[in-house]
Amino acid sequence: MRQTLRSALPIVAAALGRKLGVAVRVGGADGAKTDGGVIVLPDLPDGDPALRAVTWGYLAHEAAHVRHTDFCAYARGAEDGPLQAALQNIFEDIRIEQALAVPYPGTRTSIAAVLRHLLATGDLAAPAADTHPARVLTGYLLLTLRHRVLGQTVLAAEADKAAASLGQVFDAQFVAQLETLLADVPTLPDTAAVVALARRVHALLADALRPPETPQPPPAVASRNSREAADETDATRSGN
């Protein structure tokens, strides 16, 4: 029988239970995730040392959420819709990984292993310019902010491609306004600030995608001759 990461779970779960008060489960069908009480990890083969590093990277990332994410504030923001949820997820991931790396700098290496794995499987790539503008924007944010703010150099090539796609889809004014907003990302203090920034970026995108208003023709103005004719008719009727 293939050995999986379940063999290491008792030790991991006990350590996290003491430090974070969470349970750890393996077998998530849609990747790694946490609700603050349980961390779910994907089921990866345990025989490959590279995949073992990937698992520790997933674990580090989700543990960072447990430590640093306000799940109530996050859930309230996500009620605004899937795009809002996607934007705040990108910003929150940057914030929590940055915070985790302060006491645990080794987590940068583990999380880089996750990124290399996702690049190799094709699950992480720059969006093409002909995809939906919202996808172009979120792809740019994900790749560029991880490269720029977290220093994840493994993403450099894809971040460059994402920037090229962004420039093809949006005009220079949009990009400049976006970069002004993104200047706040490295210093976001908490999840509430993440949600607020995501809403500002969401609004910027909505404005960019709003179709221009169709100019309305000016109200019809009677010609001078028509007005004079009408005046004469009124005068004739008054004389009768």
Side-chain angles (χ1 to χ4, degrees), residues 61-218:
H61 177 86
E62 300 307 329
H65 275 300
V66 174
R67 284 177 175 268
H68 299 290
T69 292
D70 179 340
F71 288 90
C72 290
Y74 188 95
R76 286 194 298 270
E79 291 175 357
D80 290 354
L83 179 55
Q84 170 69 21
L87 291 169
Q88 64 188 45
N89 185 64
I90 292 168
F91 298 146
E92 182 73 344
D93 282 355
I94 299 294
R95 188 184 73 82
I96 61 149
E97 287 186 19
Q98 187 174 237
L100 185 68
V102 175
Y104 303 109
T107 58
R108 293 183 183 274
T109 300
S110 299
I111 291 172
V114 175
L115 301 176
R116 282 192 293 271
H117 174 69
L118 294 176
L119 289 168
T121 59
D123 293 321
L124 183 60
D130 60 356
T131 56
H132 191 280
R135 174 71 185 90
V136 172
L137 174 62
T138 55
Y140 171 78
L141 295 174
L142 172 65
L143 293 163
T144 299
L145 291 175
R146 283 188 166 278
H147 180 227
R148 181 190 301 170
V149 179
L150 297 178
Q152 293 169 338
T153 55
V154 67
L155 299 178
E158 293 302 314
D160 286 344
K161 294 177 186 176
S165 292
L166 187 80
Q168 292 178 53
V169 173
F170 297 99
D171 61 25
Q173 181 180 2
F174 175 91
V175 174
Q177 291 174 324
L178 176 65
E179 292 300 335
T180 297
L181 293 176
L182 298 185
D184 290 342
V185 172
T187 56
L188 290 168
D190 52 33
T191 306
V194 162
V195 171
L197 176 61
R199 283 178 173 149
R200 292 196 294 273
V201 174
H202 194 171
L204 179 66
L205 178 63
D207 287 342
L209 298 183
R210 185 174 294 115
E213 294 183 4
T214 303
Q216 297 297 320

